[in-house]
């Protein structure tokens, strides 16, 4: 017993310190030491150590169990108290629980969405080794469309490339098998390496044998079901009518999960495009991916830096860049894309939860006047401040978990609609993820602690003497902080309302703005091999039908052109070709879309040369090229697939500027020409008053001229709407969040005004007696709150203006932000606040003064 | 009366019996002697901690710093509250067991 002092091991000491004090720990340490020495003498070091371990374990166990049991009793007590409190004050509790429930539900929904967005493409085993090849352009932007020859060249020349694949969306085609004739839209082309790199599970076949022949095709389970039902699809031959080929089914994969950026129904091999096209280094289309050996990414990127220069000439300015698989969904073009949305929504989620917590705080404190006596009594019988704090914190946490339960129910109810809206399949309860459950519990716990902290500290500081007198003379303490909280809530609300107004204003502007072309009552459908040679007859027949106004064809509808080409012209001061959008069209194109020809004429059968060597420019093209006398000028269109004689065209007309792309982009130079081979779509303008009849006529005429092809037509204005789906969704989301935030802010105002006005009940009673009218009293009591709301407005306006300006920059054509928007937001918030507060004002004003003065 | 658990009662009695000499290890040994069973440290110190928290016992330091290499030994003593508790337990026990004969003989048959 002469040891200088055995101490308990550090972590044990630290842990036990929570339960016992230093002196007790000293005793324990001493006993352990005594027993240890005794044991060493008796049975040696090993056994002694072992016994000491057992002793330590016994200490740990006993203390935890005992405290747990003790705490359980205390918790049960707090639980009873909390329950009693909630049932006593039903309205208040209801508001509080509702606020937290809504806040938590929003948080959960957004959390699920964010988690899904971050999970894209994670199901591939070799995801860390997969990279997409991009090309970087001199202005710093990147694009993912690369040349066909790139990937195979890289695989040949560099051993660190283990697999490669190209991925080209091929477009739609009619697919035939026995008696099934179905139009498929998502057909893509790839290489055998595709299934070796990416992990798609096979229902029939395997990654090694899928796409083994040049005529192989791989289907998804769903697609196979359409043609083969329950039969075994392997080895069966289907016909892709559009591409005039027979393809053998060599594999069926399970349906592609929604969180994959690669989507298709069918995949065939790129070889169907022909050797010539695949050898091209100058056609920029389709994506390519490589599977690199682990860790070789950086060096590889450096090694291939000059690959474009080597194959296209030293003055090529493109540089190849690698993009890792994980980043593709969020950073589509190498720049932040989708990830901006993800961040924005995460921020909103946290905001809303924060607002709910602030609300809770305000409401809890608003009730403090009533509970002050309770707190005073507790302190008198000996509760320490810490215990009071714990009681209120426990209450808050209890309410938080109650809200969590309700929030989960709410989320489950709303989830199907939310899924439809976001085109995902999110699950909460059946997700089976322990991680989600634990996160939710943690978030709720934190929410409860956060929301309960301020009220707990506030209420535990009450001095018994004051409270038992029945009056809270410290009623003005902390009011400043609470005012600030309310102002913050309203700042958020005003900000959201203003943003909503501006976003919907911009949306309306986009949809109403004159695009320079008609899109109403125009129907489009795919051209096909039967129809194409007989187009002229088809058109004549159709035009004779009532209700059909115009017929034309083109590669794309004029508002969905994404192809560009390099053009040159004599007198070009810089020796560099410029990039222009272009498309190929047919006669009557401009008439059908009501696009105004400002100078010259449109393509016409009266001038046979039009088919080969004529073009029409838009105003921007003329301006860009600086042509003073454009008619008759010779333009050179540098398309790699056209023979030289077709590349020179003469300008025969100028068309008024129109929007070929969404209003995010400014109008670009545009060239129209005629070219037989790419008339993919037929456009028919219908008389709006005879739509039904016209469509029926169209159907029957179509059947005459193309046997066996289904007529899948679409209205152009629907197609147009799809361009702005994301903006529309944004608008709807902002709408929803504005309403939510106003709702939560009003809850807070409701609670706070209830407390404040209640404090003044006596004053109001006296004023009533002295003859004040109800309306003047309402005005008197509401005045202060409205001042806060006004302040919130003033703070929010510049913030909203700044943020909305930033968002509007994305559009080349935008609305201007007028003061009307801010005035409207102010009006809405003031009105709603007034209504909220006047509830209490009226209640106080109508209370019989006798009752309120009774307690004096 | 505040009904103490058995072990708390045993601890209080041990401290009483040990008088001036009631430090950690001694208390353990006394309990072992009284009950005939060796107790795990946890089973002694957790209740002892409770007793201290409820102010039934108090601690005081000895001056034997030199012997123990710098730290004084902690001794335990009953507080007046503890003494009162023990007294009421004794009273209750007396009245409970009053008139009960030797059970070893009673239950033998």
């Amino acid at each position: 017993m002469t040891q200088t002092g055995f101490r308990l091991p550090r972590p044990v000491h630290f842990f036990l310190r929570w339960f016992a004090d230093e002196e007790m720990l000293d005793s324990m340490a001493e006993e352990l030491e005594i027993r240890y020495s005794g044991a060493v003498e008796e049975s040696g070091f090993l056994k002694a150590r072992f016994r000491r371990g057992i002793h330590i374990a016994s200490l740990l166990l006993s203390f935890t169990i005992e405290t747990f049991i003790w705490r359980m009793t205390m918790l049960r007590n707090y639980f009873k108290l909390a329950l009693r409190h909630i049932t006593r004050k039903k309205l208040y509790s209801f508001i509080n629980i509702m606020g937290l429930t809504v806040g938590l539900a929003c948080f959960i929904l957004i959390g699920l969405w964010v988690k899904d967005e971050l999970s894209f493409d994670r199901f591939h085993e070799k995801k860390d080794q997969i990279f997409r090849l991009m090309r970087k352009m001199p202005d710093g932007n990147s694009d993912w469309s690369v040349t066909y020859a790139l990937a195979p060249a890289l695989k040949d020349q560099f051993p660190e490339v283990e697999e490669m694949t190209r991925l080209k969306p091929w477009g739609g085609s009619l697919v035939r098998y026995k008696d099934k004739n179905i139009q498929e839209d998502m057909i893509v082309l790839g290489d055998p390496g595709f299934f070796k790199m990416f992990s798609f599970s096979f229902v029939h076949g395997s990654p090694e044998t899928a796409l083994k022949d040049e005529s192989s095709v791989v289907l998804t389970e769903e697609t196979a079901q359409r043609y083969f039902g329950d039969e075994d699809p392997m080895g069966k031959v289907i016909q892709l009518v559009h591409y005039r080929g027979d393809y053998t089914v060599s594999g069926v994969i399970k349906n592609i999960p929604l969180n994959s950026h690669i989507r298709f129904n069918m995949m065939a091999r790129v070889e169907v495009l022909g050797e010539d096209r695949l050898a091209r280094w100058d056609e920029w289309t389709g994506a390519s991916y490589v599977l690199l050996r682990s860790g070789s990414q950086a060096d590889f990127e450096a090694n291939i830096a000059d690959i474009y220069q080597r194959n296209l000439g030293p003055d090529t300015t493109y540089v190849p860049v690698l993009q890792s698989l994980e980043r593709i969904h969020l950073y589509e073009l190498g720049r932040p894309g989708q990830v901006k949305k993800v961040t924005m929504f995460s921020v909103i989620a946290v905001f809303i939860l924060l607002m709910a917590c602030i609300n809770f705080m305000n409401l809890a404190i608003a009730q403090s006047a009533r509970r002050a006596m309770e707190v005073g009594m507790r302190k008198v019988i000996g509760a320490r401040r810490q215990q009071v704090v714990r009681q209120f914190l426990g209450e808050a946490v209890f309410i938080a978990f109650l809200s969590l339960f309700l929030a989960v129910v709410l989320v489950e109810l709303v989830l199907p609609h939310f899924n439809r809206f976001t085109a995902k399949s999110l699950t909460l309860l059946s997700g089976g993820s322990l991680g989600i459950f634990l996160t939710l519990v943690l978030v709720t716990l934190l929410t409860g602690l956060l929301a309960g902290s301020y009220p707990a500290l506030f209420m535990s500081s009450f001095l018994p003497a004051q409270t038992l007198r029945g009056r809270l003379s410290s009623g003005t303490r902390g009011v400043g902080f609470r005012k600030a909280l309310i102002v913050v809530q309203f700042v958020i609300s005003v900000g959201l309302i203003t943003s909503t107004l501006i976003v919907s204003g911009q949306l309306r502007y986009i949809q109403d703005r004159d695009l320079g072309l008609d899109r109403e009552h125009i129907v489009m459908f795919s051209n096909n091999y039967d129809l194409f040679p007989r187009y002229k007859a088809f058109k004549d027949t159709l035009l004779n039908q009532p209700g059909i106004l115009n017929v034309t064809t083109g590669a794309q509808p004029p508002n969905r052109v994404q192809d560009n080409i390099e053009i040159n012209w004599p007198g070009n001061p810089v020796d560099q070709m410029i990039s222009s959008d272009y498309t190929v069209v047919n006669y009557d194109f401009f008439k059908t879309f009501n696009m105004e020809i400002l100078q010259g004429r449109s393509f016409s059968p009266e001038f046979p040369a039009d088919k080969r060597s004529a073009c029409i420019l838009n105003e921007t093209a003329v301006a860009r090229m600086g042509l003073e006398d454009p008619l008759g000028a010779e333009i050179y269109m540098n398309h790699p697939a056209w023979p030289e004689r077709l590349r020179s065209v003469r300008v025969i007309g100028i068309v008024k500027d129109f929007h070929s792309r969404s209003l995010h982009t400014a109008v670009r130079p545009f060239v129209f020409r005629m070219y037989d081979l790419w008339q993919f779509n037929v456009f028919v303008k219908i008389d709006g008053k005879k739509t039904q009849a016209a469509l029926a006529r169209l159907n029957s005429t179509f059947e005459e001229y193309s046997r066996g092809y289904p007529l899948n037509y679409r209205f152009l204005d629907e197609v147009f709407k799809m361009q702005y789906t994301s903006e529309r969704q944004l608008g709807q989301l902002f709408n929803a969040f504005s309403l939510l935030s106003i709702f939560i802010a009003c809850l807070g105002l409701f609670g706070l005004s209830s407390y404040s006005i209640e404090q003044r009940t006596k004053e109001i009673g006296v004023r009533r007696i002295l003859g004040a009218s109800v309306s003047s009293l309402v005005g008197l009591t509401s005045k202060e709150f409205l001042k806060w709301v006004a302040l919130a407005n003033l703070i929010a306006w510049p913030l909203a203006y700044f943020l909305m300006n930033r968002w509007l920059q994305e559009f080349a054509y935008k609305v201007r932000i007028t003061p009307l928007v801010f005035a409207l937001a102010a009006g809405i918030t003031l009105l709603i606040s007034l209504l909220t507060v006047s509830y209490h004002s009226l209640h106080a004003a109508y209370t019989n003064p006798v009752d309120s003065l009774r307690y004096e | 009366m505040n009904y103490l658990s058995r072990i708390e009662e045993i601890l209080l009695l041990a401290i009483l019996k040990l008088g001036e000499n009631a430090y950690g290890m001694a208390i353990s040994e006394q309990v072992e002697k009284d009950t005939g069973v060796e107790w795990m440290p946890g089973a002694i110190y957790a209740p002892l901690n409770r007793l201290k928290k409820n102010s039934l016992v108090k601690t005081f330091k000895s001056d034997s710093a030199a012997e123990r290499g710098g730290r004084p030994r902690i001794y335990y003593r009953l507080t007046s509250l503890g003494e009162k508790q023990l007294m009421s337990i004794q009273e209750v026990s007396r009245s409970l067991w009053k008139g009960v004969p030797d059970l070893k003989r009673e239950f033998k048959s």
Side-chain angles (χ1 to χ4, degrees):
Chain A
M1 291 204 248
T2 52
Q3 289 214 8
T4 43
F6 171 78
R7 307 246 175 175
L8 298 167
R10 269 274 206 87
V12 175
H13 186 110
F14 179 73
F15 179 70
L16 289 176
R17 203 53 192 83
W18 284 100
F19 307 105
D21 56 28
E22 285 289 349
E23 298 184 322
M24 187 81 32
L25 292 179
D26 253 5
S27 304
M28 291 187 230
E30 189 195 1
E31 170 155 349
L32 249 51
E33 177 202 322
I34 297 175
R35 288 191 190 235
Y36 179 69
S37 339
V40 166
E41 278 175 28
E42 224 181 274
S43 3
F45 276 100
L46 201 59
K47 263 238 166 93
R49 282 233 180 86
F50 177 66
R51 297 215 75 210
R52 187 172 71 190
I54 304 243
H55 294 156
I56 292 181
S58 122
L59 284 171
L60 292 171
L61 200 61
S62 298
F63 273 98
T64 359
I65 291 184
E66 168 174 313
T67 321
F68 194 58
I69 293 181
W70 187 82
R71 285 239 194 281
M72 287 269 276
T73 334
M74 279 312 278
L75 279 176
R76 225 179 39 209
N77 241 329
Y78 287 155
F79 178 81
K80 279 198 211 156
L81 281 173
L83 207 56
R84 184 159 37 128
H85 183 246
I86 288 177
T87 45
R88 281 256 188 88
K89 299 271 180 296
K90 292 211 180 65
L91 176 65
Y92 155 74
S93 306
F94 175 71
I95 293 180
N96 233 348
I97 293 178
M98 196 167 51
L100 273 186
T101 304
V102 166
L104 276 171
C106 280
F107 186 83
I108 294 175
L109 278 175
I110 297 184
L112 285 176
W113 185 86
V114 165
K115 183 165 171 285
D116 189 77
E117 286 287 310
L118 293 177
S119 74
F120 263 65
D121 300 319
R122 308 261 155 165
F123 56 90
H124 298 292
E125 261 185 60
K126 306 189 186 140
K127 58 182 185 274
D128 296 320
Q129 298 168 256
I130 299 178
F131 298 90
R132 183 165 72 168
L133 293 163
M134 313 256 278
R135 69 180 145 130
K136 193 150 82 144
M137 298 183 264
D139 58 5
N141 288 329
S142 305
D143 194 68
W144 50 260
S145 54
V146 292
T147 52
Y148 292 119
L150 176 65
L154 291 177
K155 180 147 192 284
D156 277 338
Q157 298 167 23
F158 296 91
E160 52 265 51
V161 178
E162 294 178 7
E163 295 288 351
M164 69 93 197
T165 184
R166 289 160 284 197
L167 188 65
K168 162 113 184 100
W170 208 11
S173 165
L174 192 64
V175 178
R176 260 195 209 132
Y177 175 72
K178 293 196 180 157
D179 59 332
K180 304 261 192 318
N181 244 337
I182 308 178
Q183 175 78 10
E184 293 287 346
D185 278 329
M186 301 198 341
I187 308 181
V188 301
L189 300 175
D191 286 289
F194 181 84
F195 293 104
K196 297 189 196 141
M197 293 169 66
F198 295 105
S199 316
F200 290 101
S201 336
F202 276 79
V203 176
H204 297 279
S206 73
E208 290 77 28
T209 58
L211 294 184
K212 60 178 174 348
D213 301 317
E214 285 188 13
S215 62
S216 298
V217 71
V218 173
L219 312 177
T220 60
E221 215 179 343
E222 207 182 14
T223 317
Q225 180 81 336
R226 282 201 274 273
Y227 299 94
F228 306 106
D230 294 321
E231 286 175 35
D232 180 8
M234 295 291 281
K236 301 266 184 357
V237 179
I238 60 176
Q239 200 191 16
L240 262 57
V241 179
H242 197 101
Y243 305 109
R244 306 208 154 154
D246 289 343
Y247 295 86
T248 319
V249 178
S250 63
V252 177
I253 55 172
K254 273 173 117 47
N255 290 334
I256 302 180
L258 282 175
N259 55 352
S260 163
H261 82 280
I262 298 177
R263 311 206 61 78
F264 60 87
N265 284 339
M266 274 190 205
M267 176 181 284
R269 280 185 57 159
V270 285
E271 276 78 359
V272 300
L273 293 172
E275 260 185 55
D276 294 330
R277 261 185 104 176
L278 291 183
R280 289 218 195 111
W281 278 92
D282 56 358
E283 187 179 344
W284 300 96
T285 180
S288 294
Y289 303 83
V290 287
L291 181 74
L292 295 180
R293 197 178 47 216
S294 296
S296 54
Q297 175 204 355
D299 292 332
F300 180 69
E301 202 169 354
N303 289 339
I304 61 171
D306 60 351
I307 190 125
Y308 289 132
Q309 278 81 31
R310 272 191 280 136
N311 287 284
L312 286 169
D315 27 89
T316 314
T317 48
Y318 298 136
V319 177
V321 199
L322 294 178
Q323 185 182 42
S324 67
L325 181 62
E326 306 179 315
R327 283 177 70 96
I328 292 182
H329 174 70
L330 297 172
Y331 296 85
E332 176 77 31
L333 293 168
R335 274 181 293 115
Q338 185 73 345
V339 74
K340 279 195 286 191
K341 248 202 215 171
V342 172
T343 342
M344 181 167 63
F345 285 138
S346 308
V347 169
I348 290 184
V350 172
F351 253 156
I352 290 195
L353 196 58
L354 216 61
M355 276 177 72
C357 286
I358 291 179
N359 230 35
F360 186 98
M361 277 190 230
N362 267 330
L363 284 171
I365 293 183
Q367 289 295 303
S368 64
R370 302 219 186 101
R371 301 193 70 183
M373 243 198 273
E374 177 191 339
V375 175
M377 283 302 291
R378 275 183 203 283
K379 288 198 164 180
V380 163
I381 57 175
R384 284 172 292 146
R385 178 165 182 188
Q386 203 197 29
Q387 281 179 302
V388 176
V389 169
R390 256 190 255 154
Q391 179 202 343
F392 285 112
L393 270 182
E395 217 176 276
V397 170
F398 174 66
I399 291 185
F401 275 96
L402 194 60
S403 304
L404 174 65
F405 176 70
L406 291 171
V408 168
V409 170
L410 186 61
V411 165
E412 281 292 314
L413 283 175
V414 171
L415 212 45
H417 302 281
F418 189 66
N419 274 335
R420 240 181 300 134
F421 182 72
T422 56
K424 290 185 188 294
S425 59
L426 306 168
T427 56
L428 182 61
L429 287 182
S430 36
S433 162
L434 188 65
I436 297 182
F437 177 69
L438 286 177
T439 319
L440 283 182
V441 167
L442 194 65
V443 166
T444 317
L445 187 63
L446 285 173
T447 308
L449 288 175
L450 175 69
S453 61
Y454 183 51
L457 288 172
F458 183 73
M459 295 217 244
S460 63
S461 67
F462 289 163
L463 297 173
Q466 287 175 310
T467 64
L468 291 176
R469 216 181 289 142
R471 191 185 347 172
L472 202 51
S473 56
S474 60
T476 49
R477 243 198 307 158
V479 164
F481 183 60
R482 276 175 282 141
K483 283 188 193 171
L485 290 180
I486 285 272
V487 170
V488 165
Q489 279 183 309
F490 270 99
V491 165
I492 296 178
S493 302
V494 170
L496 279 173
I497 293 180
T498 334
S499 307
T500 311
L501 289 171
I502 294 180
V503 167
S504 29
Q506 173 70 0
L507 268 177
R508 249 178 303 125
Y509 173 70
I510 289 176
Q511 296 186 193
D512 294 342
R513 180 184 163 93
D514 177 23
L515 291 181
L517 55 90
D518 261 6
R519 51 189 198 274
E520 314 214 341
H521 310 303
I522 300 181
V523 155
M524 75 180 230
F525 52 90
S526 306
N527 206 343
N528 60 62
Y529 286 119
D530 242 8
L531 180 59
F532 176 63
R534 302 191 283 165
Y535 170 70
K536 185 147 189 339
F538 170 71
K539 178 171 173 174
D540 289 337
T541 319
L542 204 53
L543 280 175
N544 274 328
Q545 316 266 4
I548 307 286
L549 300 176
N550 267 307
V551 181
T552 186
T553 67
Q556 305 103 341
N559 66 330
R560 298 262 271 177
V561 177
Q562 299 199 323
D563 298 318
N564 52 46
I565 191 174
E566 290 169 330
I567 60 175
N568 209 344
W569 66 101
N572 182 3
V574 191
D575 202 18
Q576 267 243 324
M577 300 205 251
I578 65 169
S579 172
S580 162
D581 285 352
Y582 79 106
T583 190
V584 302
V585 299
N586 210 332
Y587 300 119
D588 294 334
F589 186 85
F590 300 95
K591 202 158 53 131
T592 310
F593 289 101
N594 208 2
M595 295 161 77
E596 201 183 322
I597 303 277
L598 298 170
Q599 288 184 47
R601 61 178 178 80
S602 166
F603 301 115
S604 161
E606 292 172 38
F607 296 84
D610 279 359
K611 284 207 103 165
R612 299 212 167 285
S613 55
C615 75
I616 295 182
L617 305 176
N618 70 348
E619 291 173 287
T620 309
V622 174
R624 199 60 172 75
M625 295 195 276
L627 296 172
E628 291 192 348
D629 202 4
L631 293 181
E634 286 260 340
I635 309 287
Y636 181 79
M637 299 175 78
N638 186 25
H639 195 289
W642 293 345
E644 274 300 327
R645 60 188 159 81
L646 276 187
R647 298 194 193 183
S648 296
V649 285
R650 220 157 18 92
V651 180
I652 59 160
I654 312 290
V655 69
K656 184 154 177 247
D657 270 348
F658 64 99
H659 288 281
S660 61
R661 297 175 184 246
S662 75
L663 286 166
H664 288 107
T665 354
V667 175
R668 290 164 50 93
F670 206 104
V671 183
F672 290 94
R673 72 161 306 156
M674 297 186 73
Y675 187 60
D676 270 347
L677 287 186
W678 294 340
Q679 306 298 324
F680 300 131
N681 292 292
V682 182
F683 306 98
V684 178
K685 178 134 189 175
I686 295 184
D687 186 349
K689 299 193 262 299
K690 305 188 192 138
T691 321
Q692 289 286 43
L695 284 176
R697 293 285 158 67
L698 174 62
N699 227 324
S700 48
T701 318
F702 179 81
E703 269 176 28
E704 261 186 66
Y705 285 88
S706 46
R707 279 170 298 263
Y709 285 89
L711 175 62
N712 293 326
Y713 64 82
R714 285 189 295 179
F715 276 91
L716 205 63
D717 40 19
E718 278 169 29
V719 172
F720 172 74
K721 279 218 197 87
M722 293 198 326
Q723 261 179 324
Y724 298 103
T725 325
S726 98
E727 273 77 17
R728 238 207 337 277
Q729 281 188 339
L730 196 71
Q732 287 168 324
L733 272 159
F734 265 101
N735 246 335
F737 286 129
S738 299
L739 286 170
L740 264 163
S741 79
I742 269 252
F743 175 67
I744 294 181
C746 278
L747 282 183
L749 191 60
F750 187 78
L752 197 62
S753 55
S754 113
Y755 168 69
S756 291
I757 292 180
E758 211 170 317
Q759 293 288 87
R760 301 172 70 178
T761 313
K762 262 182 249 142
E763 174 196 340
I764 294 178
V766 171
R767 284 181 192 266
R768 279 288 271 148
I769 291 176
L770 293 177
S773 69
V774 172
S775 53
S776 73
L777 281 174
V778 169
L780 183 71
T781 46
S782 321
K783 207 168 50 174
E784 195 185 342
F785 298 100
L786 295 183
K787 265 195 286 184
W788 300 349
V789 175
L791 177 65
N793 267 288
L794 289 174
I795 297 177
W797 287 347
L799 284 172
Y801 181 78
F802 174 69
L803 285 169
M804 277 292 112
N805 234 344
R806 284 275 290 273
W807 180 72
L808 283 177
Q809 298 302 349
E810 280 186 19
F811 291 86
Y813 303 93
K814 46 191 177 280
V815 285
R816 247 174 327 153
I817 305 180
T818 63
L820 179 65
V821 164
F822 299 112
L824 208 56
I828 293 177
T829 42
L830 282 170
L831 184 64
I832 296 187
S833 320
L834 185 62
L835 287 172
T836 310
V837 174
S838 55
Y839 172 80
H840 292 299
S841 306
L842 287 172
H843 187 257
Y846 278 116
T847 314
N848 195 335
V850 174
D851 292 324
S852 57
L853 292 171
R854 200 198 296 259
Y855 291 102
E856 197 53 54
Chain B
M1 116 165 197
N2 189 10
Y3 290 91
L4 292 175
S5 70
R6 208 72 212 274
I7 176 61
E8 285 170 340
E9 178 189 333
I10 293 173
L11 284 172
L12 287 177
L13 285 169
I15 293 176
L16 182 71
K17 291 180 196 170
L18 287 171
E20 289 292 318
N21 215 25
Y23 68 96
M25 188 72 207
I27 298 177
S28 288
E29 287 172 337
Q30 180 67 38
V31 171
E32 191 181 326
K33 196 165 82 169
D34 284 337
T35 59
V37 173
E38 184 185 345
W39 290 68
M40 280 273 117
I44 300 274
Y45 285 98
L48 187 60
N49 194 37
R50 221 186 311 145
L51 285 174
K52 184 171 179 203
K53 274 215 169 134
N54 293 337
S55 309
L56 294 176
V57 302
K58 60 173 183 262
T59 53
F60 64 96
K61 297 190 165 99
S62 76
D63 312 311
S64 52
E67 271 177 20
R68 298 187 55 230
R71 274 196 352 259
R73 177 179 276 165
I74 312 286
Y75 287 86
Y76 295 85
R77 189 181 282 175
L78 296 177
T79 59
S80 49
L81 188 59
E83 286 171 353
K84 273 195 231 146
Q85 293 279 314
L86 218 46
M87 283 194 294
S88 60
I89 292 180
Q90 188 177 48
E91 241 178 79
V92 174
S93 300
R94 281 221 185 98
S95 59
L96 279 174
W97 287 94
K98 189 163 173 188
V100 177
D102 183 4
L103 292 174
K104 247 193 275 184
R105 272 197 234 136
E106 275 293 299
F107 295 146
K108 225 156 84 167
S109 45

